[in-house]
Amino acid sequence: MRFLIAAFVLTLIVGLVVTLHMVAPAFAEPHSARLRALLAEFPDPGSDARLEIEFSDLAAARKHRLFEADGTALEPGALSGRAMPQSLQMLALSDDAGMRQAVGFSLADVGQMAVLLAPPARAMIVDLYPGAGAAVPAALDGAGYAETVQGGVTAWARGQDLRPDFDAIDQTDPFGAGLGMASRVQLADDRLLQASGWSLLSAMTAPGTPRLADAPLVSPLLDALDHVETNERLVAATIWTDARSLGALDPALLLGQQIDPQVTAPEWPHFDMPALTWRSALFADFTDGPTSTGVLVLTVALPDAVMAAPLAERIATNWSSRPSALSGQSFAEMTGAEAEIRVEAADGEYWVVTLAATGATEPAGFRSYGHVFRRLYEGALSNDLVFLNL
């Protein structure tokens, strides 16, 4: 009898373990979860808008302190350097106390944040650690803000819509863009919404407004990000809703360089590629500390499904063998990483191209970099993503 009971209990335990093992992955947080949550606060201005969105998971970045190898004592905010948005890089040099005095919190109080850039308009969403929002109203009051009601929206406000005030410049203020820009701040517990104009803040807070997370040029990027096979954590990402400049011109032509076809032709198989236009792009930086994965996701309209495999093959070939006009090396040589490339259909009219490559994390001064991510993003800024020149 005891044997039967023991066997029954053992069977239950084994069954429970197997069941938990089978269902556990379903509870894993998708890569894009925290990014989506912030994009769900931004309004969707439509497909013609040219937006740049910067996402930072500062809480995740703080877990990887490779930049402390020399034993240098750093301000708490500096530990977030890996994930800092490009538009807020000056804050990485700010001391903790200065930023707290300016806005009531410091980088050390921030879990995740996102910045929307559509010059001259800009907006920000900041998720603070529990309780960190309590000091914000008093700090804003001391910085010249006034609690104001405009069009039914209540916020702490300073300056004229979309206008800079050079007398209000404060490099420890994340809302002023280094120019003393006008700012409207609304605080709900420990989530902070900020915009440079009333209409933008109103759109952010109005119920029923279409959201950027669901935009046709953004949603496929997020879905593809969730398909990236890595156990690393997403610490930073940048989205361009208009990526039509990528791959549009070969920088070798811009620099007046000539590529010898006798040298390069054998390395580049020929495909009858139509003139493709990249529509939107996402650059993502994953890390577990020692290693980092850089990801580039692009939306593109393909004429048919037949083009998917040749497109992936062409990009892979260019990644391995096509030299950058600026460095003279292929991206495989520059990054020391092989790229995994996938082309898949997305909902709606677009296809999605995902490129992912993993390499060592690159320490640099008081911060660290995802080497592949940095090469991809800097290559995009300099129009040097030559593997996209089809």
Side-chain angles (χ1 to χ4, degrees):
M1 182 66 176
R2 290 180 179 176
F3 174 78
L4 291 177
I5 293 175
F8 177 71
V9 171
L10 180 61
T11 301
L12 283 178
I13 293 174
V14 171
L16 180 60
V17 170
V18 171
T19 301
L20 289 174
H21 177 72
M22 292 174 64
V23 302
F27 293 96
E29 183 180 74
H31 296 316
S32 72
R34 301 186 182 201
L35 171 56
R36 283 182 193 268
L38 297 183
L39 292 182
E41 299 281 2
F42 286 132
D44 175 16
S47 59
D48 292 332
R50 301 185 65 178
L51 307 178
E52 181 173 346
I53 303 101
E54 299 174 320
F55 166 76
S56 299
D57 191 335
L58 304 185
R62 290 187 197 102
K63 297 178 181 179
H64 308 300
R65 302 185 176 183
L66 300 180
F67 39 76
E68 291 184 295
D70 62 356
T72 302
L74 300 174
E75 290 286 340
L79 301 179
S80 311
R82 168 67 179 271
M84 281 298 298
Q86 293 297 314
S87 62
L88 297 176
Q89 284 298 312
M90 78 282 188
L91 292 179
L93 303 177
S94 302
D95 62 54
D96 191 54
M99 188 172 170
R100 285 185 191 278
Q101 182 176 354
V103 292
F105 64 91
S106 75
L107 295 178
D109 300 315
V110 177
Q112 294 79 35
M113 66 188 303
V115 182
L116 181 147
L117 303 168
R122 56 184 283 133
M124 189 181 304
I125 303 167
V126 183
D127 278 343
L128 299 169
Y129 285 145
V136 171
L140 295 181
D141 182 60
Y145 284 76
E147 197 165 12
T148 307
V149 180
Q150 180 85 11
V153 177
T154 302
W156 290 88
R158 179 194 68 196
Q160 300 180 41
D161 272 3
L162 310 180
R163 297 285 297 276
D165 179 356
F166 300 124
D167 292 331
I169 291 177
D170 182 351
Q171 297 302 330
T172 64
D173 173 14
F175 307 139
L179 297 171
M181 284 293 294
S183 178
R184 290 82 179 88
V185 179
Q186 191 176 90
L187 190 67
D189 294 325
D190 295 301
R191 171 164 283 188
L192 184 150
L193 305 182
Q194 185 269 341
S196 59
W198 284 106
S199 61
L200 182 51
L201 183 62
S202 178
M204 292 170 69
T205 57
T209 303
R211 297 296 165 176
L212 202 52
D214 303 317
L217 286 170
V218 174
S219 180
L221 300 175
L222 304 178
D223 292 341
L225 192 65
D226 289 335
H227 298 162
V228 175
E229 296 180 1
T230 180
N231 292 321
E232 298 168 345
R233 180 70 175 270
L234 176 68
V235 294
T238 297
I239 295 174
W240 293 356
T241 61
D242 185 351
R244 284 174 286 191
S245 63
L246 296 182
L249 279 176
D250 190 327
L253 300 178
L254 296 177
L255 297 176
Q257 299 176 9
Q258 297 295 324
I259 298 177
D260 186 352
Q262 298 301 317
V263 174
T264 57
E267 301 176 359
W268 300 353
H270 174 71
F271 298 107
D272 291 326
M273 282 290 173
L276 300 181
T277 301
W278 309 111
R279 288 295 289 114
S280 58
L282 183 152
F283 305 84
D285 185 12
F286 289 84
T287 190
D288 62 5
T291 62
S292 297
T293 298
V295 176
L296 171 61
V297 186
L298 298 157
T299 59
V300 62
L302 295 183
D304 51 53
V306 176
M307 296 303 304
L311 177 58
E313 186 176 349
R314 181 62 175 268
I315 294 174
T317 300
N318 287 351
W319 174 273
S320 298
S321 60
R322 189 166 192 178
S324 156
L326 301 180
S327 72
Q329 295 180 306
S330 70
F331 269 76
E333 293 170 326
M334 284 191 286
T335 62
E338 296 183 5
E340 296 183 7
I341 298 158
R342 182 172 61 248
V343 180
E344 55 191 344
D347 293 336
E349 61 181 297
Y350 298 109
W351 286 69
V352 178
V353 178
T354 304
L355 181 151
T358 301
T361 300
E362 179 182 10
F366 67 87
R367 59 184 295 179
S368 62
Y369 293 94
H371 186 55
V372 177
F373 169 79
R374 187 164 70 91
R375 289 291 187 179
L376 289 172
Y377 189 65
E378 290 179 352
L381 294 178
S382 59
N383 195 33
D384 194 38
L385 296 184
V386 292
F387 53 87
L388 298 180
N389 296 332
L390 304 174

